[in-house]
Amino acid sequence: MKYDLTKKRTRGAQRTLRAFSQTMLRLLAKKPFEEINVNEICEFCDFPRATFYNYFDDKYDLVNYCWYVLAEKVRIDEAKELNPSEIVITYFDRLYDLFENNSELVSGILHHNQLSGSLVNSFTNYLRNLAHQIFLEVFGDLKFDIPVELIVDQCSATILILIEWIFLKEKPTTREQAHHYLAVLLGDESTFSMSDSSQSKS
Amino acid sequence: MKYDLTKKRTRGAQRTLRAFSQTMLRLLAKKPFEEINVNEICEFCDFPRATFYNYFDDKYDLVNYCWYVLAEKVRIDEAKELNPSEIVITYFDRLYDLFENNSELVSGILHHNQLSGSLVNSFTNYLRNLAHQIFLEVFGDLKFDIPVELIVDQCSATILILIEWIFLKEKPTTREQAHHYLAVLLGDESTFSMSDSSQSKS
DNA sequence: GCTATACTTAGACACTTGTACAACCTTTAC
DNA sequence: GTAAAGGTTGTACAAGTGTCTAAGTATAGC
């Protein structure tokens, strides 16, 4: 990313960032990502190429910014005061909402970009990494039988497997059913039964 | 892939395929994948660009062929007569061997290509898909509490999380220790306790 | 309202990409 | 040993990529 997202954006920058990310999402619902090129993006939203390169390194960078924008609602972290399995379910629910609220976008994208392609993968990877960060922060203090990172990796992977199953492989599943699947996959209490942790019953 | 891998290869084709894949692996241990271009690959192994494009669509295609070559030993499937958890451990062990036998290659690649980058990702994805295929074939007949695909997805994900942990995040772990981690992550008997399956005890 | 700062723009440049094709060399299998 | 099939090669081409610069315009904040 050429543009520094941390500094406060001017009105112009706001407008430009929005235009490019919206354009990318529109185009993704029209054709495969590999067939989209920078010229096309610029024509679509009537910005010169130079402007594109003021903000982004390349189209991969832009698409990554799109994921950043989409995942904004998911990123909010009150966290901390919840226990591991509550946190996992909370994050799952947020993703569930995200996909439910953007179902047209998702189905558009899936129509032209195959499920296991690098585009869809880059999105699920983005979300998995988000989950990973959040869980690591929360689980970090606890003691498990095996390294925390492994648990955290598996939790984030499992959540995204479920989300993919429901919304990308399109197997409609209610939230309750999904919670049940989650519980089974994460071994109900078994994985989360810490050896003899600090806060066994609170 | 331009070249048809199913038909039997002539000596010349054999030589060329080998030259390109070896070159790619050498270059990956020298610099990041994104900085490698087709011209460079061709200069390195003294083939003209035209020859490269006789075989591969682009450098991504070549790198994928490299994974295909590397994973050849893993792909052999006697399978079928083993039960789910045996199959999972067997596949894990094969991956363990693969990484152990190619440790110099792996560390070379890691030196220039970051762990979460698309290059390393493409390799672990390749192996995860392999695992997925194998497990699906073996678990397909069994009845679980939840959809088989979810179980299979999680098993393959978990195995690759462990492999990444040991060989890419470089946390040396004995095979036995790893087996223990695997058992814990996959919930010991819990996930594999099929509701009331066809072959409960054989 | 003015100014410093931030953003936009056109055009040029060097380089990479992927395709095509015709001529040539190697290999296979009879 | 020879013919047909399979590979290799040089060259050319159109299109895309990413960088740079210098001049222009918009905006924030005083």
Side-chain angles (χ1 to χ4, degrees):
Chain A
M1 194 96 182
K2 300 260 180 61
Y3 189 84
D4 179 5
L5 286 178
T6 60
K7 75 177 175 188
K8 71 163 174 292
R9 281 152 251 186
T10 64
R11 195 135 54 100
Q14 201 71 264
R15 211 189 312 128
T16 312
L17 280 168
R18 250 190 89 80
F20 278 120
S21 56
Q22 291 301 316
T23 298
M24 178 52 105
L25 292 177
R26 294 257 175 83
L27 287 177
L28 281 176
K30 269 194 161 181
K31 46 157 60 185
F33 180 63
E34 306 86 59
E35 287 176 23
I36 299 172
N37 59 41
V38 176
N39 290 318
E40 197 176 357
I41 297 168
C42 295
E43 275 165 32
F44 197 97
C45 58
D46 274 309
F47 278 90
R49 269 159 47 76
T51 302
F52 178 91
Y53 285 110
N54 283 343
Y55 286 86
F56 309 103
D57 297 315
D58 48 35
K59 64 175 183 166
Y60 300 91
D61 196 29
L62 167 55
V63 94
N64 198 57
Y65 174 72
C66 291
W67 306 154
Y68 168 85
V69 171
L70 279 173
E72 233 150 25
K73 283 162 199 158
V74 171
R75 218 173 1 253
I76 320 145
D77 36 8
E78 76 281 349
K80 277 290 187 192
E81 59 265 24
L82 300 171
N83 68 40
S85 59
E86 282 170 347
I87 253 301
V88 170
I89 291 177
T90 303
Y91 189 78
F92 173 81
D93 281 347
R94 286 192 195 158
L95 288 181
Y96 195 101
D97 292 337
L98 177 66
F99 279 82
E100 222 170 31
N101 297 333
N102 292 280
S103 55
E104 349 64 44
L105 175 63
V106 169
S107 68
I109 291 178
L110 281 175
H111 201 257
H112 296 283
N113 295 273
Q114 58 175 350
L115 181 46
S116 296
S118 62
L119 189 268
V120 173
N121 241 316
S122 81
F123 188 38
T124 50
N125 278 345
Y126 189 96
L127 297 174
R128 178 166 36 250
N129 287 338
L130 250 185
H132 185 92
Q133 277 172 239
I134 294 174
F135 295 165
L136 201 57
E137 208 180 303
V138 183
F139 295 12
D141 314 331
L142 310 171
K143 285 264 163 292
F144 294 95
D145 291 341
I146 67 176
V148 210
E149 259 223 68
L150 289 176
I151 308 244
V152 166
D153 273 337
Q154 206 206 22
C155 285
S156 21
T158 302
I159 284 182
L160 270 122
I161 285 169
L162 243 186
I163 290 287
E164 271 185 71
W165 165 262
I166 301 172
F167 296 103
L168 306 183
K169 297 180 186 159
E170 290 171 313
K171 317 283 185 190
T173 306
T174 66
R175 211 177 282 257
E176 290 69 34
Q177 187 61 254
H179 287 177
H180 171 59
Y181 290 171
L182 246 192
V184 173
L185 287 171
L186 295 179
D188 268 273
E189 310 293 310
S190 88
T191 309
F192 287 122
S193 60
M194 316 126 218
S195 53
D196 45 81
S197 100
S198 38
Q199 39 124 225
S200 49
K201 278 173 190 175
S202 63
Chain B
M1 193 96 184
K2 300 259 180 61
Y3 188 84
D4 179 4
L5 288 177
T6 60
K7 74 176 177 188
K8 70 162 175 293
R9 281 153 250 184
T10 63
R11 198 134 53 100
Q14 202 71 265
R15 209 191 312 128
T16 314
L17 281 167
R18 249 189 89 81
F20 277 120
S21 56
Q22 291 300 318
T23 298
M24 177 53 104
L25 293 177
R26 295 255 176 83
L27 288 176
L28 281 177
K30 268 194 161 178
K31 45 158 59 184
F33 181 64
E34 306 84 60
E35 287 176 22
I36 298 172
N37 60 40
V38 176
N39 289 319
E40 198 176 356
I41 297 168
C42 294
E43 275 165 31
F44 196 96
C45 59
D46 274 310
F47 279 88
R49 267 161 47 77
T51 303
F52 178 90
Y53 285 110
N54 283 342
Y55 285 85
F56 308 103
D57 297 315
D58 47 36
K59 64 174 183 169
Y60 300 92
D61 195 28
L62 167 55
V63 95
N64 200 56
Y65 174 72
C66 291
W67 305 154
Y68 168 85
V69 171
L70 279 174
E72 233 151 23
K73 285 163 197 157
V74 172
R75 215 172 5 249
I76 319 146
D77 37 9
E78 75 282 349
K80 275 292 184 189
E81 59 264 25
L82 300 170
N83 68 40
S85 57
E86 282 169 348
I87 253 301
V88 170
I89 291 177
T90 303
Y91 189 77
F92 172 81
D93 280 348
R94 286 191 195 158
L95 288 181
Y96 195 100
D97 293 336
L98 178 66
F99 279 83
E100 224 171 28
N101 297 333
N102 293 278
S103 55
E104 348 67 44
L105 175 63
V106 169
S107 69
I109 292 177
L110 282 175
H111 201 255
H112 296 282
N113 294 274
Q114 60 175 347
L115 183 45
S116 296
S118 63
L119 190 268
V120 174
N121 241 317
S122 81
F123 187 38
T124 50
N125 278 345
Y126 188 97
L127 297 173
R128 177 162 40 250
N129 287 339
L130 250 186
H132 186 93
Q133 276 171 240
I134 293 174
F135 295 164
L136 202 57
E137 207 181 304
V138 182
F139 295 12
D141 313 330
L142 310 171
K143 284 267 164 290
F144 295 96
D145 291 343
I146 67 176
V148 210
E149 259 222 68
L150 289 176
I151 309 243
V152 166
D153 274 337
Q154 205 207 21
C155 285
S156 20
T158 302
I159 284 182
L160 270 121
I161 285 169
L162 244 186
I163 290 287
E164 271 185 72
W165 165 262
I166 301 172
F167 296 103
L168 304 184
K169 296 179 186 160
E170 291 170 313
K171 317 284 186 189
T173 306
T174 66
R175 212 176 280 259
E176 290 68 34
Q177 188 59 255
H179 286 179
H180 171 59
Y181 290 171
L182 246 192
V184 174
L185 287 172
L186 294 179
D188 268 273
E189 311 293 309
S190 88
T191 309
F192 287 123
S193 61
M194 317 125 214
S195 51
D196 44 80
S197 100
S198 38
Q199 39 124 225
S200 48
K201 280 175 187 173
S202 61

